Each structure stands twice: as structure tokens, then as C-alpha cells.
Amino acid sequence: MAVEATETNTAHWYVIQCKGSESFRAAEHLVNQGYEVFHPVLDVKRKRQGKLTTVTEPLFPYYLFIRLDQVVSNWRPIRSTRGVLRLLTFGNTPIAVPNELIDTLRAQPHRQQGSHSYFTAGEKVTITDGPFKDLEAIFTRCKGEERAIVLLNVLQRPQQVELPVESLEKR
């Protein structure tokens, strides 16, 4: 899927490999230097200190995309930019990413709130609060941002119960 860039005046997208957990820093510093950068991210629900919070994470950890022209762009500062490890190459030639791939990634709703739930359907969970505390249930789906529907075995029959998402914990 990679396209080798030719010596033309058209700009192409390239992949930058970032240092560990520094893709946000690298993107910020590259933008500050005037480069066009695409850093796809998504909002993910994570449990932090017992609370379910939404955190922004890169779609591709350690990687981001940069638009460069073979002739016009100044490639030298990229390597010494904070957070950047290297520009991905094949041999000594940077490999361009097809514009269609970038267009497809940009069209996806990566940044939608709640699009990536902390729990997955069918996953076993433990209820950590309320009248069903310490009981095991099966997560079925989210109901909005803060509520979840779980299957709980009540009187030897599975019953759907609606609970706050923060009162659930992965088994």
C-alpha cells in the first residue's frame, strides 16, 4: 500500500515514528514548526482511581503522519524535533502513504465520545457498588455515557439490570 515518492512538486504523506508515549509532543512541535500533521486519536474510557474517565489516545501508538514535498519542504528539522524518533523509510528513501488512506482515516469518527467503550459485550464484570455489590454479571451494552445494561442471575434466571458504568469492574 506504500507509494514511493517521486521527484515532483506535489506533497505526499509520510509516516513518522515517535519516541515512546511522545506522539502528542511530536505532533505539537511539528505543527509549531509549520508542518502539516495528521495525528488520528480516539477517546477511550479507562478506569482511573476507581472512576471511569475518558482519555484521548493515539489511534496508532508511536506513529503520526506528516505532509511533505520532496523539493519545497525542509526535511532537516524533523529528525531533531522533540518526540520524533525517525521518518519511516525503505532503505534511505522515505515511503509515501497513499492519499486515499489518509482520506479514509480522516473520514472515520475516531474522535467521537463514547465510541470505544471500556467494556465489551459478553464480558464478565463485578458490581462494585449498590445493592448488587460483589455479584458477578455479564456486560451487554452501554446506555448513554454513564449507564450500562448487564445480565444478572436473579432467582436462577438472567435479568437485565441497568447500573451506573462506574459501579462495574472487569473480572
Side-chain angles (χ1 to χ4, degrees):
M1 192 156 214
V3 177
E4 189 168 332
T6 58
E7 298 264 341
T8 65
N9 284 339
T10 59
H12 295 281
W13 288 99
Y14 297 91
V15 179
I16 289 186
Q17 184 178 10
C18 302
K19 296 175 183 175
S21 301
E22 293 195 22
S23 61
F24 289 102
R25 172 183 280 174
E28 178 184 352
H29 285 278
L30 289 167
V31 167
N32 288 343
Q33 293 175 56
Y35 293 104
E36 184 179 353
V37 173
F38 175 52
H39 187 223
V41 295
L42 50 92
D43 291 336
V44 182
K45 295 198 186 262
R46 297 276 185 231
K47 210 157 195 181
R48 302 266 192 241
Q49 299 175 342
K51 285 188 160 189
L52 199 62
T53 59
T54 302
V55 295
T56 302
E57 293 183 352
L59 182 62
F60 305 108
Y62 307 107
Y63 297 96
L64 56 88
F65 301 96
I66 187 168
R67 189 169 175 85
L68 298 167
D69 187 288
Q70 286 277 351
V71 177
V72 177
S73 298
N74 185 3
W75 294 55
R76 287 191 178 133
I78 295 170
R79 201 182 81 201
S80 60
T81 300
R82 290 186 66 146
V84 171
L85 186 61
R86 65 189 178 107
L87 189 67
L88 290 188
T89 61
F90 183 73
N92 290 330
T93 307
I95 301 299
V97 175
N99 286 333
E100 296 80 27
L101 176 63
I102 301 299
D103 293 341
T104 301
L105 288 171
R106 282 191 162 162
Q108 300 301 314
H110 300 299
R111 194 66 197 246
Q112 271 187 355
Q113 287 283 343
S115 62
H116 299 276
S117 177
Y118 177 72
F119 300 104
T120 56
E123 184 174 22
K124 289 184 179 183
V125 294
T126 301
I127 302 169
T128 60
D129 196 23
F132 302 114
K133 185 176 180 176
D134 297 328
L135 293 179
E136 187 176 290
I138 297 175
F139 179 83
T140 57
R141 66 184 177 4
C142 280
K143 185 176 179 184
E145 292 274 330
E146 300 174 7
R147 305 292 289 173
I149 305 293
V150 297
L151 282 177
L152 186 62
N153 201 0
V154 178
L155 299 174
Q156 305 200 348
R157 288 185 50 203
Q159 297 290 324
Q160 283 193 353
V161 179
E162 185 177 327
L163 300 167
V165 174
E166 63 262 3
S167 69
L168 302 176
E169 186 175 85
K170 288 186 178 188
R171 293 275 308 153

